[in-house]
Amino acid sequence: MRTRIPLTSAATALTLTLAACGNSTAAGNSADPASGTLSIGFISQAPRNDSGFTQYGLAGVNAAIAAQKNLKLSSIVDNVSNSQEQIKGLQTLAAGNAIVVANGASLNKAVQVVAPKFPKVRFILVAAHTESFADNVTSVDAAVGYDAIVVGAVASALSRSKKLGMIAGLQVPASASWYYGMVQGAGLDTSGAKVTQTYTGDYNDVGKAKQAAEAMIATGVDSILSDLDSGSQGVYQASDAATSAVDVYQVFGLDCKAGKNIVGSGVVSWSAILQDAVTDAAAGKLPAGAISYGLAKGAVKFEFCPGKATPAAQELADKVTKQLISNEITPATDVLLPKPPYAYAQR
């Protein structure tokens, strides 16, 4: 699994009204006039304890709360997969919170529908953009394509078959960025490495992920990027059981103990991104529009597992990272998430 981040920190001292999956308990007033406390609602497309994207985001919200005594997490709605559940959950949260964090790309349409009905609520949409500008919505994302370019370059250099693979859950823009970034990174040398992609339809289904990885390995793929949550266990299992070495690369976090063939990770600090966004929102300093977090701020960074980086591979990773930051390497059009046709900032 990816590194598990505790869902609570100093923020556990706060009283939380945690809803059951797919439901939410009313949050009450969004602000306490006497104390100046602002309440936060959190909604996600996956379970709150998914060991990945959702858990990292929630950890960032808790970190912002722990650093500021005027914030409280009042309610959570998780595991909402269809549009009706998402709209209902957002409406429930918006009715009782000053800030609502919509954690997941599939929530973008629901936010577009609900946000105009609650103009005094600040919505933070994670990993996606709304179709049109709203002055109470801020979209935040990680420029994962930068990480993917470094992964592609390293995987290509270390690959023996020059056949690379990427396995993801859904065909969302962020997963496309991982794929096209790997393609660009692999193309930085003249090895002729090729990258294939597979979508399982589920970020947490271990069986589907294992089958997808086994199918790739059967075609000669010896390096796989797993853009999955708990489903990554299936990729590790397939890699560990392979008759020849199959390198695995993670995303978001780095958990080198999860499998014997894990080389490294295109680390994305969603917790840092959410902490920054929530802190600014609480202070009234979060601009409406879209914000992308990249290499320069350390929101994304490639990291090797101990002992897995040859001197040449580490030198290559450092070189490509520096070239991306200095714009010596320009990401291809498909590598970065599409920019919305409204206010946009790169951090």
Side-chain angles (χ1 to χ4, degrees), residues 131-186:
E131 293 180 359
S132 58
F133 177 83
D135 58 12
N136 64 331
V137 177
T138 303
S139 302
V140 297
D141 66 51
V144 296
Y146 287 102
D147 255 355
I149 290 174
V150 183
V151 171
V154 170
S156 176
L158 296 179
S159 172
R160 296 151 298 279
S161 68
K162 302 306 176 184
K163 292 183 178 180
L164 319 179
M166 190 276 291
I167 299 176
L170 301 174
Q171 289 182 288
V172 296
S175 292
S177 291
W178 283 110
Y179 169 68
Y180 288 112
M182 281 193 74
V183 171
Q184 182 174 353

Side-chain angles (χ1 to χ4, degrees), residues 14-16 27 29 37-40 65 70-74 97:
L14 298 171
T15 301
L16 305 183
N29 293 328
T37 299
L38 296 176
S39 63
I40 302 170
I65 291 170
N70 68 323
L71 300 178
K72 69 174 182 179
L73 178 59
S74 68
N97 292 283

Side-chain angles (χ1 to χ4, degrees), residues 235-330:
V235 178
Y236 307 149
Q237 292 170 11
S239 171
D240 291 350
T243 56
S244 58
V246 177
D247 296 337
V248 177
Y249 297 84
Q250 300 170 317
V251 302
F252 298 157
L254 181 62
D255 183 5
C256 299
K257 296 180 179 179
K260 64 182 181 181
N261 294 314
I262 297 171
V263 173
S265 175
V267 175
V268 177
S269 184
W270 284 112
S271 57
I273 291 171
L274 263 295
Q275 180 178 0
D276 183 79
V278 169
T279 299
D280 280 3
K285 296 179 180 179
L286 188 67
I291 300 173
S292 180
Y293 292 78
L295 288 168
K297 283 287 186 177
V300 297
K301 179 184 179 181
F302 180 79
E303 295 182 12
F304 283 102
C305 285
K308 291 299 180 72
T310 64
Q314 184 65 67
E315 182 180 356
L316 176 63
D318 293 341
K319 176 183 177 181
V320 174
T321 298
K322 290 178 181 178
Q323 289 177 323
L324 285 165
I325 293 175
S326 66
N327 296 317
E328 291 180 58
I329 296 176
T330 302

